[in-house]
Amino acid sequence: MFETYEWYMDRLFDHRVREFLDKQVTAELPTQHGPRIYAIPKSISEISEGARLSPRRVNGCLRRLKRKKSVQEDGDNWRAVIGK
């Protein structure tokens, strides 16, 4: 039953938040140690506007995505995990 709930939540809401945060990644920046990419942290209100979901819904999505290790908290902001 819980797996079905998680699947529906991912299918209906979580993927929108994940896709928004995945788009918030810099282009490859050349460094002396090879190219690097960085995830840009976004606040809940910015994610809410970008994913077109309420802040309360975004908060729930971020908690579920954090359990799946798809996003990480950066103070009051959230960012995608790169290299999952």
Side-chain angles (χ1 to χ4, degrees):
M1 181 171 108
F2 290 114
E3 286 182 32
T4 305
Y5 173 77
E6 289 289 326
W7 183 84
Y8 276 110
M9 295 308 285
D10 185 59
R11 183 85 175 192
L12 296 174
F13 306 110
D14 296 352
H15 78 278
R16 291 167 66 177
V17 172
R18 187 181 329 107
E19 287 173 0
F20 176 77
L21 288 174
D22 286 343
K23 289 179 185 176
Q24 306 304 315
V25 175
T26 62
E28 287 189 354
L29 302 171
T31 64
Q32 67 185 23
H33 302 291
R36 303 279 183 181
I37 57 174
Y38 299 97
I40 300 168
K42 295 290 181 180
S43 68
I44 291 179
S45 61
E46 291 172 323
I47 297 168
S48 175
E49 290 174 19
R52 291 179 284 158
L53 296 169
S54 71
R56 183 175 178 202
R57 174 79 64 192
V58 168
N59 218 1
C61 292
L62 290 170
R63 281 186 284 132
R64 284 188 295 277
L65 291 170
K66 185 177 179 181
R67 277 196 309 260
K68 295 177 186 176
K69 298 181 179 161
S70 295
V71 299
Q72 65 186 41
E73 200 169 0
D74 192 22
D76 289 338
N77 297 323
W78 293 82
R79 61 187 171 122
V81 174
I82 300 173
K84 357 176 198 175

